Amino acid sequence: PQVNFTHDNSRVTASLPTGESIEVLLYGATVISWKNRFGIERLWLSDAAKLDGSKAVRGGIPLVFPVFGTAPDHAATSKLPQHGFARNSRWEFLGKSSSESTGPSDTSVKLDFGLSSATLDEQAKSLWPYTFSIIYSVTLTPENLSTSIVVTNDGEQPIEFQVLLHTYLRIDDISKIQVTGLEESEYIDKVDAASTKTQSGAITITGETDRVYTPAKGPSHPVVVSEDGEAVYSVVRDNLKDVVVWNPWQQKAESMGDFEPKDGYKKMICIEAGSVRGWTTLDPSDAFEGAQTISD
Ligand code: TA6
């Protein structure tokens, strides 16, 4: 039994012999679907998400690069749109590889996508004129979904950037959610004047929540999303030092034209692995790799 695979000029899909599947839009290299072996969708995607390249996808896993949010006092990225250009760019599909060490039950598939200064549109290049290349890999196994990003500085000058995987996880009921693994971690509370606080105990979501955590424990310490006390997702990171926890809640959901249904905020929580506090500096010829693995 082999990996099933399709590729047209807008998207790539792959499914495993055990039934799991993923779908990736070439626009933004945005993972828009990840289904488990029972066909249950694990990512939240707005019913009004634009999938035609007219704007960043509302849901799935948009890619945030080279800036998180906007950075008006950071000269190199101050002219870029919110969350940078990666999620609004057309990526190239570079290919797939699948591995099967003992049999169908451990077959996995990896899809590679590329974006570089050679393929970036002129407008973005004029706002951010660095010579770079990115390879974004999406790996599906029967147990988990991993996404990793490798950024290479192909130019002569250092590049300062932020990067984040803006993952919208699908859940049944936000009022039953607890997030653990971030205890004792410092966080910036973006709904309370960007004040710095420390997390005590599990996180529950009872209103608009927008926090940038710097986890106290290492990246391999899982951030766990539980529903009614049952672990639903576990996220571990590699070289991504921050975790953003976001839920727009009702008012913000109503203010976003592409957020549908309006009560959809009850069915999603963003757990976003990234390096977004401060700037990562990439020297000429250096490469940066960051990754997340989400187990369900
Ligand atoms: O990840 C949280 C966040 O930075 C929020 O502040 C909110 O702006 C969210 O991203 C969505 O941003 P977007 O540009 O996709 O509407």
Side-chain angles (χ1 to χ4, degrees), residues 52-195:
D52 60 359
S54 57
K55 75 166 284 190
V57 176
R58 178 65 60 201
I61 309 178
L63 279 179
V64 172
F65 177 87
V67 60
F68 176 63
T70 55
D73 38 15
H74 183 254
T77 59
S78 56
K79 295 188 285 301
L80 292 176
Q82 162 128 316
H83 292 336
F85 53 73
R87 65 178 185 165
N88 304 80
S89 294
R90 180 156 178 89
W91 290 62
E92 292 174 288
F93 175 55
L94 303 179
K96 78 172 164 76
S97 58
S98 43
S99 68
E100 176 187 312
S101 50
T102 58
S105 64
D106 71 353
T107 302
S108 67
V109 62
K110 177 165 81 81
L111 306 176
D112 289 336
F113 302 87
L115 178 69
S116 72
S117 34
T119 61
L120 187 62
D121 66 80
E122 289 311 312
Q123 209 244 344
K125 250 194 325 210
S126 68
L127 300 176
W128 198 76
Y130 292 90
T131 310
F132 74 98
S133 46
I134 303 178
I135 292 183
Y136 181 60
S137 301
V138 181
T139 304
L140 176 67
T141 79
E143 290 74 37
N144 54 46
L145 172 73
S146 294
T147 67
S148 91
I149 184 163
V150 179
V151 184
T152 307
N153 182 347
D154 302 327
E156 307 298 319
Q157 47 182 324
I159 295 175
E160 282 193 341
F161 69 92
Q162 296 169 330
V163 63
L164 174 129
L165 305 164
H166 201 293
T167 311
Y168 288 73
L169 295 173
R170 181 182 293 270
I171 52 166
D172 280 344
D173 181 345
I174 194 71
S175 69
K176 298 179 178 165
I177 291 297
Q178 283 204 322
V179 180
T180 52
L182 292 169
E183 294 79 1
E184 310 318 314
S185 302
E186 189 184 272
Y187 67 94
I188 297 168
D189 188 343
K190 289 169 68 176
V191 300
D192 183 8
S195 52

